[in-house]
Amino acid sequence: MEIIIYGKKEDAHTVAFKNFLRMAEIDFIYKNLAIDEEAAKHTKELYDGAIKYPTLIVDGEVYLTPTSDTFNKVMKELHLRG
């Protein structure tokens, strides 16, 4: 399973999602949109030219600006617990 989070360090949802995954000892890839130009470019493609965050990608399935409820639902469906 591959989990990728595009976000920014000061964004509350980004921080919460990363903390959940770390506490659950779940491997994930974090791409900081402030410094990762390729991730920022991909984000613009996903959001019609805008940079929005966070973006959650799980095994290629993209969740655009997921809320905490969406994130929790995805984690539950994957049987992942924090």
Side-chain angles (χ1 to χ4, degrees), residues 1 3 5 12 17-18 21 23 27-28 33-34 36 44 46 52 54 59 62 70 73 79 81-82:
M1 172 184 341
I3 299 174
I5 298 175
F17 298 168
K18 288 173 27 183
L21 295 167
M23 294 296 290
D27 291 332
F28 67 97
L33 296 174
D36 188 323
K44 286 180 180 181
L46 293 171
K52 295 184 182 182
D59 290 336
V62 179
T70 301
K73 181 181 177 211
H79 305 289
R81 304 269 185 249

Side-chain angles (χ1 to χ4, degrees), residues 6-50:
Y6 290 177
K8 285 194 169 182
K9 66 179 182 177
E10 65 276 358
D11 175 62
H13 280 106
T14 300
V15 171
F17 298 168
K18 288 173 27 183
N19 286 342
F20 173 94
L21 295 167
R22 283 187 185 126
M23 294 296 290
E25 297 181 352
I26 299 165
D27 291 332
F28 67 97
I29 298 166
Y30 169 62
K31 298 194 178 219
N32 185 336
L33 296 174
I35 59 176
D36 188 323
E37 292 179 22
E38 191 64 32
K41 180 182 174 188
H42 187 218
T43 300
K44 286 180 180 181
E45 292 168 2
L46 293 171
Y47 295 97
D48 297 321

Side-chain angles (χ1 to χ4, degrees), residues 1 4 12-13 20-21 45 51 61 66 74 76-77 80:
M1 172 184 341
I4 304 170
H13 280 106
F20 173 94
L21 295 167
E45 292 168 2
I51 293 180
E61 186 167 348
V74 171
K76 185 176 180 180
E77 288 171 359
L80 301 175

